[in-house]
Amino acid sequence: MSEFVNILTEERNGILYLTVNREDKMNALNFATLEELKEVFEQVIDNKSIKAVIISGAGEKAFVAGADINEIATLNEVNARKFAENGQEIFSMIENCHKPVIAVTNGFTLGGGCELAMACHMRVASANAKFGQPEVNLGIIPGYGGTQRLTLLVGRGKANELMMTGDMITAEEAKSLGLVNHVLPTKAEAIAKAEEIVAKIMSKAPLAIGMIVDCVNAAFSEENGYQTEANSFARCVKSGDYKEGTSAFLEKRKPVFRGE
Ligand code: COA
């Protein structure tokens, strides 16, 4: 993995730990950080040794407190559209990644930070996490997919309320809305929970995990999700891992999946 300026990466036991590292700016996503996120995920897709990604924010105060408002303040109508489309594209890349991506959110998870967390496959929060889409306070709306993903995750009424008021909610409230999978007392425990989930997923057939990503995403797209499911099911059956999984069950042993 290359070295980055605004992102720290560390690979351990098949997991890429990606830390947004602008602690003095509450890990706000500036253009440079977004481009680095894109580069990281391009490498994650191609890198066979990386099996999963855990994303967090540096320090104890914030996961990511949004897009960088210094840059937002300079937008015009033309580059604002590009700004949104670029962020949407990078976050879709994360959402479509065939390896599990878990956001560990700690402290402020606002605006583009909440959108980044929602683009991940799951969210594990520490108790001090605060979620919100406060763009309305700046006279704008979420632009990195938040209007869509928040609505799909929490439903229309709650999404409208959160985006129209700009209110922040606690980790426990976020969990009760389905925005967060698990809440743990501290950031360290939240990371340990994410590692536990990822370890379980890494023991399964990688091709099947990738197919689950495609099928779940299809449920939220204009694709016929049932057709995607049938096609993906057939692709799994072509794999060596399918033969291994079914043989291992019948031979009463643990399967050894090879991702092929
Ligand atoms: N963009 C750029 N800088 C940001 C930022 C953002 N989204 N969020 C925080 N920062 C910066 C602050 O400007 C400050 O920088 P400075 O020390 O150079 O002045 C630093 O991070 C610390 O933030 P501060 O506001 O002093 O901390 P706080 O604890 O009082 O408040 C927040 C924390 C997160 C509530 C507050 O910073 C905030 O509301 N941020 C903006 C959230 C937002 O609107 N996000 C959506 C953007 S589209």
Side-chain angles (χ1 to χ4, degrees), residues 237-254:
V237 166
K238 269 184 15 196
S239 70
D241 282 348
Y242 156 74
K243 288 191 182 67
E244 169 63 9
T246 47
S247 306
F249 179 84
L250 297 171
E251 291 161 14
K252 300 193 187 307
R253 62 175 174 82
K254 275 198 157 183

Side-chain angles (χ1 to χ4, degrees), residues 24-26 28 65-70 72 108 110-111 134-135 138:
D24 57 332
K25 295 291 173 199
M26 299 269 174
D68 192 310
I69 298 172
N70 295 297
I72 285 184
F108 294 109
L110 302 175
E135 290 86 349
L138 304 171

Side-chain angles (χ1 to χ4, degrees), residues 4 11 32 38 45 49 52 74 79 84-85 91 111 123 140 162 168 193 195 206 208 214 221 232 247 254 258:
F4 298 96
E11 200 184 322
K38 184 178 176 181
I45 290 165
S49 69
T74 66
N79 61 22
E85 286 171 350
F91 285 11
R123 289 147 289 284
I140 51 174
L162 284 169
M168 285 188 225
K193 181 70 188 173
E195 287 169 336
D214 288 350
S221 76
S232 304
S247 306
K254 275 198 157 183
R258 296 184 196 288

Side-chain angles (χ1 to χ4, degrees), residues 3-256:
E3 292 277 305
F4 298 96
V5 177
N6 303 295
I7 285 177
L8 301 175
T9 58
E10 189 194 343
E11 200 184 322
R12 236 182 310 130
N13 305 324
I15 304 174
L16 182 78
Y17 295 83
L18 185 166
T19 308
V20 181
N21 189 32
R22 298 186 75 218
E23 199 175 338
D24 57 332
K25 295 291 173 199
M26 299 269 174
N27 303 319
L29 296 177
N30 58 3
F31 301 139
T33 309
L34 263 188
E35 280 313 302
E36 290 185 1
L37 259 183
K38 184 178 176 181
E39 266 185 64
V40 172
F41 273 89
E42 281 166 355
Q43 294 186 28
V44 164
I45 290 165
D46 289 341
N47 186 324
K48 284 210 162 60
S49 69
I50 298 172
K51 314 280 186 208
V53 183
I54 294 179
I55 305 183
S56 61
E60 290 300 324
K61 287 192 180 155
F63 170 64
V64 167
D68 192 310
I69 298 172
N70 295 297
E71 293 181 347
I72 285 184
T74 66
L75 293 175
N76 60 44
E77 195 183 335
V78 176
N79 61 22
R81 186 187 305 276
K82 288 204 177 116
F83 169 93
E85 286 171 350
N86 182 48
Q88 287 176 7
E89 189 189 317
I90 295 165
F91 285 11
S92 289
M93 209 172 148
I94 297 175
E95 188 172 60
N96 290 320
C97 180
H98 274 193
K99 305 173 185 184
V101 184
I102 301 189
V104 169
T105 65
N106 175 63
F108 294 109
T109 304
L110 302 175
C114 190
E115 291 174 296
L116 171 61
M118 289 192 291
C120 297
H121 300 133
M122 291 165 229
R123 289 147 289 284
V124 179
S126 62
N128 76 340
K130 288 221 156 51
F131 295 81
Q133 296 289 164
E135 290 86 349
V136 74
N137 297 325
L138 304 171
I140 51 174
I141 62 170
Y144 291 166
T147 60
Q148 305 304 294
R149 290 194 181 94
L150 187 64
T151 308
L152 294 166
L153 275 167
V154 307
R156 200 182 283 212
K158 221 39 199 171
N160 274 328
E161 182 181 339
L162 284 169
M163 287 185 282
M164 288 182 185
T165 62
D167 280 351
M168 285 188 225
I169 56 172
T170 63
E172 281 299 340
E173 285 173 289
K175 186 179 164 201
S176 72
L177 291 175
L179 180 54
V180 159
N181 296 55
H182 301 277
V183 180
L184 279 297
T186 64
K187 182 181 181 184
E189 286 162 289
I191 289 186
K193 181 70 188 173
E195 287 169 336
E196 180 193 317
I197 297 171
V198 149
K200 202 174 274 183
I201 298 171
M202 280 162 57
S203 72
K204 315 293 181 194
L207 187 79
I209 299 300
M211 295 298 105
I212 291 169
V213 168
D214 288 350
C215 293
V216 170
N217 291 344
F220 297 110
S221 76
E222 285 171 10
E223 279 172 51
N224 178 336
Y226 291 97
Q227 196 59 60
T228 305
E229 183 182 273
N231 293 340
S232 304
F233 186 82
R235 279 187 68 192
C236 288
V237 166
K238 269 184 15 196
S239 70
D241 282 348
Y242 156 74
K243 288 191 182 67
E244 169 63 9
T246 47
S247 306
F249 179 84
L250 297 171
E251 291 161 14
K252 300 193 187 307
R253 62 175 174 82
K254 275 198 157 183
V256 181

